[in-house]
Amino acid sequence: MRGGWRRTLRRLWSRLFGLAKGDVILCDHCRLNYGNACARPERPNAVSCEDFIAK
């Protein structure tokens, strides 16, 4: 796992930068994005969510 921490850092940076810009859709990267697991009205286009769990 030579570049694992670099990849993780890059993902974190891009997610934070994207959230600051306001154009990242969280549902695409959420574990709850299937079937009836998420009942939030913002789904599938949420840019902020208290229940977000990264895949």
Side-chain angles (χ1 to χ4, degrees):
M1 274 203 90
R2 205 158 190 192
W5 65 272
R6 287 182 183 161
R7 186 176 9 166
T8 303
L9 187 61
R10 206 175 303 137
R11 280 184 182 172
L12 178 64
W13 178 253
S14 67
R15 181 167 294 168
L16 291 174
F17 185 70
L19 284 174
K21 286 176 42 178
D23 62 352
V24 172
I25 306 287
L26 293 179
C27 295
D28 295 337
H29 308 285
C30 185
R31 285 187 192 172
L32 301 175
N33 190 26
Y34 67 91
N36 294 331
C38 179
R40 292 205 170 253
E42 301 91 359
R43 186 173 181 256
N45 300 318
V47 247
S48 66
C49 181
E50 295 176 4
D51 298 334
F52 175 77
I53 303 170
K55 283 185 182 178

